[in-house]
Each structure stands twice: as C-alpha cells, then as structure tokens.
C-alpha cells in the first residue's frame, strides 16, 4: 500500500518535522567537521538524504514507546529527546558521554527515561530484541509500540527473517522500518535481492506492509502513524519499506565512486529537506523569516552543544581497566520497572492472567493442563484454521494441548485486552 500526503497534521507538527530534519542534518554536518579535525574516534556514518525516514517514523511514536536506532538514525535519537551534545561526545569518546567514552558512534541507549535500546551492530539482531521488548511491554500492560530500522542489505540476514517470523507469530506491537537506500556498502540492491519491493518480504510472515517515498517526510509520518496505531491496537507487527538513496559512502572512508553519476543526480534533486521546504512555502506554513529564525536557533544550539562536547575531558587512562566485565551492582544496577506486582509476574505465580488478550491469540493450556495465559502450541482451533489456510477453513482440526508443552508456557503472557487499551 502506498500512502498519499493527506493534510491532517497541525501547523506545529509540520514545523516540528522540519525542525528535526534540519537538526538531524546540522548535527551530522557538525560531526563531519569534527571528523575532519580528527576529533571523532572511529567511523562516522551519514544519513544525508534519509533524514525524513528517521524523523518521520520516530515522530509517529508516543513518549512511552521504545526505539532501537541503527547507524543512520541520529534523527530518531533527536526526536526521542537525546541532546546533540550526547551524540557529539559519544562520537568523540568523551568522559561525559552516555558510555563515558567506553564506546563510540551511536552505541548508547537510555532504558530509564527515553526508552532507547542501544544499537546492536550485527544487522538484524534488533528485530527479535525489539519484538521481545514489545511483548514484554504487553505482558506488563504498558500498551507500548516498539520500532527499529534495517537496511536493504540487513534485510537479507537470517535473523531478519527469524525475528520477523517471531514477531508475527507473537502478534508483537512492533513496527519495522526497512530503509531501502539502494546500496549496502558497494553492493547495489539489485545484486542482492531478487525482489522489486522489499516490502514483499512481509508476505512470508503474513503481516501487513507499506511502501512509502522515504524522501517525503509527511508521507513517511502518515504511514508510520497508521502502522503504529494498528500495531498498538493489537494487529501485530507491520513492515514499512521506505524507498530512498544513500547519498554518501558507507562511512567517511568511502567515496562511493561505484555509484553511477546519473543515479546520484536523480536523488540529489529529491533532497527531502529541499522538497519539504517547497511544500511548507506553498502551504504558507513557513516563510523566509520563519526559516531564518530556525537557522539561527540551530546555529546557537549547535555552537553551545559542540562547545560543551569539546570541553568535556577524555576518560582518565585507568578508567579503561574497569567495566570490561560487569561486576554487579557496583558496575550498574539492572532493575526491572515492574508495572505489575513483582510477585505476580515471577514464579511461582507467574501464570497469572495476562493484562491484555489479543483476539485470536488468547489462552491455551499450560503443561499442568490448566488454562495458561499464553499459547506455546496450544492455540485455539479457530486461530489455527485461519493461519494454516490463509483464512480458509481448515480440513484438519488442530491437535489439543499435549502434556509435553514447555513449562515456560506458564510464565510468559499473551496480548492486549480491550480493557487495558487507551
Ligand atoms: C550480520 C552482519 N553482517 C555484516 C555486517 C557488516 N556491515 C555493516 S553495515 C553493512 C551494510 C549494510 O547495508 P544496509 O543494510 O543496506 O544498510 P545501509 O548501510 O545502506 O544503511 C554491512 C555489510 C554487520 N554489521 N552485521
Ligand atoms: Mg542500504
């Protein structure tokens, strides 16, 4: 399904999308300067030309929702509320950075406040992780949606398929954004996927998908918003393919001379910020004075954030000795934020009824033969009929629950009840 551009945002929302795309680009431009000055430790990746995707998708989430960004999703970090100084310091391995200089690029998260799971470099691995966060949230009655991003290249990893299948069978409230920027390092998408539309990968798992122009921020936002709402309502995971182009090389070291000139020219003429500025001017949402005010706001903000980052010290040398292996509470405390009483969700009482139930994905029998609030192969007959035959009636009735059903059947939980939805 391809989305159009309905005019249904408020003036402030239109302006927010513009501001965050500009901020995304300005933060990355600043980091290119820092890189050239040898102040960035390690590689530097760019989302030039892809800002509409990170910004438009993350802007569709609510504060309580969870994201796990990848290397080209600085825009999503900014929309979630990460200050530019943290991004600068993280790339510069400074002592005041979120990881205190122990890790680089965007390898940091914020589990307590902003609900950001740190990126995992192994492409695709965030899909099962964010599926887990989604079903964990559902179990705890949080009504959250989780989101992560994957590239065209990453969509060919095994874990992409395992993860999406897992998300689909669990009806996880999870939205996956597939940024098809036509290149994976120097490999063109045509050479690594025999599909015109990568959204078609969703068909293998019986889930919904959308295709959207990744350079049109309003279309991206509207599509993501619809997907997020559907996932939150219990419809299961949704895949969105955003079609775009990687304007720079894989990272700063890569001049990307393998990209045909005509292809580059075609996409440079479709810059998402320039296109959006035209739209905002036509719709009389942003005039020259408004644009100048945003220019100045960004200049002031980034000068201050950069100064703070540059003045932050490097970690003391002896700091390198610690934290290699977690030593428990003196390293970092891991505390679950239970929204249900701990006793209720841990053994021996953990088979208590789920807060929500997803229609068609409800209770089954646990190993003890009693009703448990989760299915592990103990699915209701009507569900099996639908799934096994693409909605047509099944010829064979599904097997009843067996005694060998795993013990875990009692522990985890199923989905969302209408009661808990907001
Ligand atoms: C499982 C795995 N294989 C290989 C790599 C090395 N690697 C990092 S980025 C990349 C290319 C990714 O291309 P794509 O998924 O299209 O994302 P893009 O860089 O275009 O945003 C590769 C091969 C990795 N990180 N993880
Ligand atoms: Mg790619």
């Amino acid at each position: 399904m391809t989305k159009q551009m309905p005019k249904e945002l408020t003036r402030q929302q239109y302006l927010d999308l513009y501001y965050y795309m500009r901020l995304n680009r300005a933060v990355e431009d600043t980091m290119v300067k820092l890189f050239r000055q040898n102040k960035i430790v390690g590689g530097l990746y760019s989302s030039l030309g892809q800002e509409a995707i990170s910004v438009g998708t993350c802007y569709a989430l609510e504060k309580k929702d969870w994201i796990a960004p990848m290397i080209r999703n600085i825009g999503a970090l900014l929309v979630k509320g990460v200050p530019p100084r943290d991004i600068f310091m993280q790339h510069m391995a400074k002592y005041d950075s979120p990881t205190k200089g122990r890790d680089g690029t965007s390898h940091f998260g914020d589990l307590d406040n902003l609900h950001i799971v740190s990126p995992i470099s192994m492409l695709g691995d965030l899909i099962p992780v964010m599926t887990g966060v989604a079903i964990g949230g559902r179990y705890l009655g949080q009504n959250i949606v989780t989101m992560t991003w994957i590239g065209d290249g990453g969509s060919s990893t095994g874990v992409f398929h395992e993860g999406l299948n897992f998300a689909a069978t669990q009806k996880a409230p999870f939205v996956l954004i597939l940024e098809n920027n036509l290149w994976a390092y120097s490999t063109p998408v045509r050479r690594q996927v025999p599909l015109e539309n990568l959204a078609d990968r969703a068909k293998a798992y019986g889930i919904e998908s959308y295709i959207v122009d990744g350079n049109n921020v309003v279309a991206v936002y509207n599509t993501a918003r619809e997907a997020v709402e559907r996932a939150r309502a219990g419809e299961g995971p949704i895949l969105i393919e955003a079609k775009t182009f990687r304007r720079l090389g894989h990272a700063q070291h890569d001049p990307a001379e393998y990209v045909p000139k005509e292809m580059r020219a075609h996409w440079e003429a479709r810059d998402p910020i320039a296109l959006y500025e035209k739209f905002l001017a036509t719709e009389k949402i942003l005039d020259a004075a408004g644009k100048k005010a945003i220019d100045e706001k960004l200049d002031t903000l980034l000068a201050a954030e950069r100064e703070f980052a540059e003045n932050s010290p490097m970690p003391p040398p002896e700091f390198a000795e610690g934290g290699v292996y977690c030593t428990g509470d003196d390293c970092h405390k891991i505390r679950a934020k239970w929204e249900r009483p701990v006793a209720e969700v841990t053994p021996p009482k953990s088979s208590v009824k789920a807060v929500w139930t997803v229609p068609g994905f409800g209770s089954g029998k646990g190993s003890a033969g009693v009703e448990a609030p989760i299915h592990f192969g103990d699915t209701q007959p009507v569900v099996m009929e639908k799934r096994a035959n693409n909605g047509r009636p099944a010829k064979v009735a599904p097997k009843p629950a067996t005694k060998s059903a795993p013990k875990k059947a009692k522990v985890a939980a199923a989905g969302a009840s209408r009661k808990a939805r907001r």
Side-chain angles (χ1 to χ4, degrees):
M1 189 195 291
T2 310
K3 301 292 296 178
Q4 296 306 313
M5 192 195 270
K7 261 191 75 180
E8 57 186 35
L9 285 79
T10 65
R11 191 181 172 80
Q12 189 55 49
Q13 287 176 317
Y14 280 123
L15 289 172
D16 281 354
L17 290 174
Y18 179 66
Y19 175 75
Y20 282 115
M21 281 208 290
R22 291 284 313 274
L23 181 60
N24 184 167
R25 187 164 294 185
V27 162
E28 293 191 15
D29 284 351
T30 305
M31 288 203 290
V32 171
K33 289 180 194 141
L34 292 168
F35 185 87
R36 302 264 159 88
Q37 292 171 349
N38 224 6
K39 291 174 180 167
I40 295 240
V41 179
L44 180 64
Y45 305 90
S46 166
S47 70
L48 181 71
Q50 295 180 226
E51 296 92 340
I53 301 173
S54 293
V55 169
T57 52
C58 192
Y59 194 74
L61 294 172
E62 291 179 20
K63 198 165 183 283
K64 66 185 173 187
D65 295 333
W66 285 72
I67 64 164
M70 287 298 282
I71 51 175
R72 300 193 207 286
N73 302 118
I74 296 250
L77 290 174
L78 295 166
V79 170
K80 258 290 184 190
V82 174
R85 69 179 60 182
D86 280 1
I87 298 168
F88 295 154
M89 290 191 295
Q90 182 68 20
H91 281 77
M92 296 163 90
K94 293 294 186 93
Y95 192 44
D96 297 313
S97 75
T99 59
K100 300 209 171 304
R102 285 204 170 96
D103 209 335
T105 64
S106 48
H107 283 101
F108 69 98
D110 181 353
L111 304 183
D112 284 333
N113 300 311
L114 299 178
H115 295 175
I116 300 171
V117 173
S118 180
I120 303 173
S121 282
M122 293 72 185
L123 301 173
D125 279 27
L126 282 169
I127 295 170
V129 169
M130 295 313 282
T131 300
V133 175
I135 58 181
R138 184 167 68 194
Y139 182 46
L140 296 172
Q142 293 171 338
N143 205 6
I144 55 163
V145 172
T146 65
M147 181 180 278
T148 190
W149 294 260
I150 188 86
D152 43 285
S155 76
S156 297
T157 59
V159 71
F160 172 98
H161 298 279
E162 292 172 33
L164 215 45
N165 183 62
F166 177 50
T169 54
Q170 295 293 323
K171 272 200 160 186
F174 166 61
V175 177
L176 178 60
I177 315 297
L178 200 170
E179 294 191 60
N180 182 358
N181 63 8
L182 304 178
W183 296 88
Y185 266 107
S186 56
T187 306
V189 66
R190 289 276 171 278
R191 289 266 186 108
Q192 63 104 4
V193 193
L195 289 173
E196 173 66 26
N197 296 316
L198 301 190
D200 287 351
R201 293 206 188 277
K203 288 182 188 163
Y205 310 107
I207 64 169
E208 283 287 344
S209 66
Y210 294 95
I211 296 172
V212 68
D213 174 356
N215 289 31
N216 177 340
V217 71
V218 179
V220 171
Y221 168 77
N222 278 318
T223 306
R225 184 83 218 168
E226 188 170 308
V228 165
E229 276 167 13
R230 292 180 67 177
R232 203 185 304 281
E235 287 191 41
I238 296 186
L239 175 69
I240 299 175
E241 179 189 4
K243 294 193 185 280
T244 187
F245 174 69
R246 196 195 69 203
R247 291 257 291 275
L248 294 179
H250 178 71
Q252 279 283 318
H253 65 269
D254 171 19
E257 281 155 355
Y258 45 81
V259 174
K261 284 194 181 62
E262 312 74 50
M263 182 186 242
R264 185 181 300 289
H266 170 83
W267 286 95
E268 279 175 359
R270 305 210 66 260
D271 180 81
I273 295 182
L275 286 180
Y276 194 43
E277 281 174 349
K278 265 190 209 151
F279 170 80
L280 293 175
T282 312
E283 299 293 325
K284 301 202 184 331
I285 296 169
L286 185 72
D287 57 12
K291 186 166 175 294
K292 191 161 171 268
I294 290 173
D295 291 348
E296 283 165 8
K297 184 176 170 186
L298 288 171
D299 284 350
T300 311
L301 172 71
L302 291 182
E305 296 290 283
R306 177 179 174 167
E307 196 184 339
F308 185 96
E310 295 219 41
N311 288 334
S312 170
M314 295 304 277
E318 59 274 20
F319 192 65
E321 284 179 10
V324 177
Y325 302 103
C326 176
T327 48
D329 280 359
D330 58 325
C331 172
H332 65 285
K333 287 193 197 306
I334 299 177
R335 277 185 306 254
K337 283 191 351 197
W338 300 108
E339 296 211 355
R340 301 174 69 183
V342 176
E344 191 182 296
V345 289
T346 47
K349 282 193 165 182
S350 49
S351 64
V352 67
K353 278 234 178 305
V355 176
W356 300 350
T357 49
V358 169
F361 193 72
S363 59
K365 285 191 170 59
S367 54
V370 293
E371 290 294 329
I374 179 127
H375 95 122
F376 271 98
D378 300 335
T379 322
Q380 292 165 349
V382 64
V383 177
M384 291 295 278
E385 284 169 15
K386 270 195 183 157
R387 294 225 168 134
N389 297 285
N390 261 341
R392 292 187 297 278
K395 287 181 189 136
V396 188
K399 279 186 189 166
T402 61
K403 278 195 180 141
S404 60
K407 272 217 165 102
K408 272 187 188 154
K410 291 165 104 186
V411 179
S417 82
R418 261 162 246 124
K419 217 168 66 185
R421 278 184 212 149
R422 280 165 233 171

Coordinates of all heavy atoms in Angstrom, one line a residue, residues 2 40 96 99 355:
T2 N 0.7 2.2 -0.9 CA 1.5 3.4 -0.9 C 0.6 4.5 -0.4 O -0.5 4.7 -0.7 CB 1.9 3.8 -2.4 OG1 2.5 2.6 -2.9 CG2 2.9 4.9 -2.4
I40 N 36.8 13.0 16.1 CA 35.9 11.8 16.2 C 36.7 10.5 16.3 O 37.6 10.4 15.5 CB 34.9 11.8 15.0 CG1 34.0 13.0 15.1 CG2 34.1 10.5 15.0 CD1 32.6 12.9 15.2
D96 N 32.1 12.6 29.5 CA 30.7 12.9 29.9 C 29.7 12.3 28.9 O 28.5 12.6 29.0 CB 30.6 14.4 29.8 CG 31.4 15.1 30.8 OD1 31.4 14.7 32.0 OD2 32.1 16.1 30.5
T99 N 28.3 6.7 27.4 CA 29.0 5.5 27.8 C 30.4 5.8 28.4 O 31.2 5.0 28.6 CB 29.3 4.6 26.6 OG1 30.1 5.3 25.6 CG2 28.0 4.1 25.9
V355 N -2.5 -9.2 31.3 CA -3.3 -7.9 31.5 C -4.2 -7.8 30.2 O -5.3 -7.3 30.3 CB -2.4 -6.7 31.6 CG1 -3.1 -5.4 31.6 CG2 -1.6 -6.9 32.9

